[in-house]
Structure formats: C-alpha cells, structure tokens
C-alpha cells in the first residue's frame, strides 16, 4: 500500500510530500497490518485506518482541497474492492484529518439498497 501511495503522489493523486505511514484493516475486531492476509466474512464490517504524515494532513485541512480528499478515498476504496469497506479513516498523529468539516468517511460511495417498487411489463403480451 505504501507503494500505491507513492505512485499517487507521482501522479498528482496525493499531495506533494505526502506519505502513508501505516495501514490497518479491522475485520470484526481483528486488526491486520499492511501485508497480512485478511479473511472476510460476508455481511461483516471492515474498517480501513490510514495514518499519513503532517504534510498530507496540512494539505487536506484546507477546504479547497476537498477534491483531493475525495480522490484519495476513491483510490483506497478501489484498492480494497474485494472487501466491503464500511468505514475509512484518514489520520495524522492519531487524530482524524478534517477537510473543513469533512472527513474521509463522508466520501465513501453510497450503498443504495435496491428496492422493487412497481411491477412493470417491458414486453407486450402476445
């Protein structure tokens, strides 16, 4: 994951000087450090905690950089696409990184429930 973060910096998808210091994936109370295997239980909650350096936190603290925060969340969610991330946290020195009043969790993709509301016939009866 640290190599992914370094590539994000090189491609402009993470602030210049930004570094990912640690990654923890929490699966039902079991924490897994970067590089360890994770066994996913269907219907379970997965939480991703990412610890960044001060340069990243200072950059993301400015409300004008909300787009960068959104892009970073999208990249990390895509990296763990085989797991359903219910929570994500960007931290620096143990504190949540806020962009204005927004945090990484606020930009997780919505999981809209599929509901059938009306029966519709798309082909005419013969």
């Amino acid at each position: 994951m640290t190599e992914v973060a370094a590539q994000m910096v090189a491609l402009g998808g993470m602030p210049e000087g930004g570094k990912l210091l640690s990654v923890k994936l929490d699966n039902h109370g079991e924490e897994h450090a970067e590089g360890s295997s994770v066994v996913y239980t269907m219907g379970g909650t997965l939480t991703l905690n990412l610890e960044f350096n001060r340069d990243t936190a200072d950059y993301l603290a400015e409300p004008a950089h909300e787009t960068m925060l959104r892009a970073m969340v999208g990249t990390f969610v895509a990296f763990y696409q085989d797991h359903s991330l219910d929570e994500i946290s960007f931290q620096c020195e143990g504190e949540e990184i806020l962009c204005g009043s927004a945090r990484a969790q606020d930009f997780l993709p919505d999981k809209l429930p599929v509901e059938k509301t009306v029966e519709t016939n798309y082909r005419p009866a013969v």
Side-chain angles (χ1 to χ4, degrees), residues 64-80:
H65 298 140
E66 182 180 303
T67 302
M68 179 70 74
L69 178 61
R70 286 178 184 269
M72 289 173 65
V73 169
T75 300
F76 290 112
V77 168
F79 186 83
Y80 288 102

Side-chain angles (χ1 to χ4, degrees), residues 58-118:
D58 290 345
Y59 182 90
L60 292 176
E62 298 177 35
H65 298 140
E66 182 180 303
T67 302
M68 179 70 74
L69 178 61
R70 286 178 184 269
M72 289 173 65
V73 169
T75 300
F76 290 112
V77 168
F79 186 83
Y80 288 102
Q81 67 184 346
D82 293 338
H83 306 287
S84 177
L85 291 177
D86 295 324
E87 295 180 38
I88 189 169
S89 174
F90 285 14
Q91 299 181 2
C92 178
E93 299 170 359
E95 293 188 23
E96 186 82 21
I97 297 173
L98 296 176
C99 182
S101 62
R103 54 195 182 107
Q105 177 70 28
D106 299 331
F107 302 112
L108 275 179
D110 291 335
K111 296 178 177 119
L112 298 174
V114 177
E115 295 180 12
K116 186 175 179 180
T117 57
V118 177

Side-chain angles (χ1 to χ4, degrees), residues 2 19-23 34 51-54:
T2 52
K19 289 187 180 161
L20 179 60
L21 303 176
S22 70
V23 178
E34 181 178 7
E51 182 81 19
F52 293 95
N53 66 344
R54 176 55 51 197

